[in-house]
Amino acid sequence: MSHTILFVQPGACPETRTYCDYESINECIESVCRSYEEYLKRRKPKKSTITYEISQLFDFIDRLKDICCLVYQKTTKTYAPFNKEWIKSKLYELLRGSAHSA
């Protein structure tokens, strides 16, 4: 488990910046999925189930002004930065694993 801090800036205004911290990379990546699902629910509140393609999730991430992670590195006792593309690759791994176990 690596402590992970997620930084998100959805809009152009710096006031839209937020951050959350997680006990693991996986928790962080799952929260990105949940954020997208909550966004979809707000857009279509009458739908009882939410379904989406990974490409739609990636488009959502690409529309964010900024999203990145800092992940704690035990060996150096520092945080390493990871960008939007890294987050998308972790999302792909998570969702691919979920599809195989379903």
Side-chain angles (χ1 to χ4, degrees), residues 2-18:
S2 296
H3 185 254
T4 304
I5 304 169
L6 174 69
F7 295 92
V8 180
Q9 183 177 343
C13 295
E15 293 81 20
T16 65
R17 292 180 190 150
T18 59

Side-chain angles (χ1 to χ4, degrees), residues 52-59 88 91-93 95:
Y52 56 91
E53 299 289 325
I54 195 164
S55 61
Q56 294 169 303
L57 174 57
F58 286 179
D59 288 344
K88 290 192 308 190
L91 281 164
Y92 179 79
E93 289 173 21
L95 294 175

Side-chain angles (χ1 to χ4, degrees), residues 44-63:
K44 299 179 182 184
K46 296 196 188 316
K47 288 197 96 170
S48 60
T49 59
I50 300 292
T51 59
Y52 56 91
E53 299 289 325
I54 195 164
S55 61
Q56 294 169 303
L57 174 57
F58 286 179
D59 288 344
F60 171 78
I61 290 169
D62 287 337
R63 286 192 306 270

Side-chain angles (χ1 to χ4, degrees), residues 91-102:
L91 281 164
Y92 179 79
E93 289 173 21
L94 175 72
L95 294 175
R96 185 184 64 199
S98 295
H100 288 304
S101 65

Side-chain angles (χ1 to χ4, degrees), residues 19-84:
Y19 74 93
C20 294
D21 68 313
Y22 303 92
E23 291 303 314
S24 69
I25 294 169
N26 203 47
E27 272 185 43
C28 176
I29 298 305
E30 287 173 353
S31 81
V32 174
C33 284
R34 281 192 307 277
S35 293
Y36 180 59
E37 291 165 3
E38 289 167 12
Y39 165 78
L40 291 175
K41 287 176 187 175
R42 284 191 306 272
R43 289 190 65 211
K44 299 179 182 184
K46 296 196 188 316
K47 288 197 96 170
S48 60
T49 59
I50 300 292
T51 59
Y52 56 91
E53 299 289 325
I54 195 164
S55 61
Q56 294 169 303
L57 174 57
F58 286 179
D59 288 344
F60 171 78
I61 290 169
D62 287 337
R63 286 192 306 270
L64 297 172
K65 175 72 175 163
D66 195 16
I67 184 170
C68 62
C69 289
L70 291 177
V71 179
Y72 186 70
Q73 309 296 302
K74 291 177 187 171
T75 55
T76 59
K77 296 184 173 139
T78 61
Y79 283 85
F82 292 94
N83 64 16
K84 189 180 284 194

